[in-house]
Amino acid sequence: MTKTAFVQYRDSGFWAYDVAGSVFLWFLINAATKRLDSHDQPWLKDMIRHWRVAAFITEMAHYTDDDWTTSQIDLVVQLSHDAIDAIRSHGDFAASDVQ
């Protein structure tokens, strides 16, 4: 496992600690899964599968798809905000939490 991974979307990106990225993906997956309970969105099911792999194989730090529509991007942004809110509510993480 590396210490950092590059997260890229189209021509932009940033470096993130892989542990933090994996924690974020865990909460993003939870938010997306809740969304699927009320909306059938095959593209989101595919992304959830990809995010689950990326959470463990941090070299696969592609969280997005360059071909997303504006509405898909908007939904992922909203899910990201939901994930961040859940992380804030959780508070500090013990090492055992992230493993």
Side-chain angles (χ1 to χ4, degrees):
M1 187 179 247
T2 62
K3 293 186 182 218
T4 60
F6 190 70
V7 180
Q8 182 174 351
Y9 179 66
R10 295 188 178 154
D11 294 329
S12 298
F14 57 91
W15 287 95
Y17 287 105
D18 54 3
V19 171
S22 293
V23 170
F24 171 75
L25 282 173
W26 172 259
F27 282 92
L28 181 63
I29 291 164
N30 288 341
T33 301
K34 288 177 188 174
R35 169 75 181 191
L36 286 178
D37 289 344
S38 59
H39 299 83
D40 183 34
Q41 296 172 306
W43 70 271
L44 189 55
K45 287 179 187 177
D46 291 341
M47 284 311 303
I48 290 171
R49 281 192 288 273
H50 179 78
W51 291 334
R52 284 185 175 137
V53 173
F56 291 100
I57 304 172
T58 57
E59 290 80 10
M60 292 185 60
H62 297 283
Y63 300 9
T64 61
D65 187 326
D66 289 346
D67 296 327
W68 280 348
T69 65
T70 301
S71 63
Q72 289 170 319
I73 292 168
D74 290 345
L75 177 58
V76 173
V77 168
Q78 180 58 53
L79 294 172
S80 296
H81 285 289
D82 294 347
I84 291 165
D85 290 344
I87 291 168
R88 285 185 179 137
S89 295
H90 183 281
D92 293 336
F93 289 87
S96 60
D97 289 339
V98 288
Q99 289 182 356

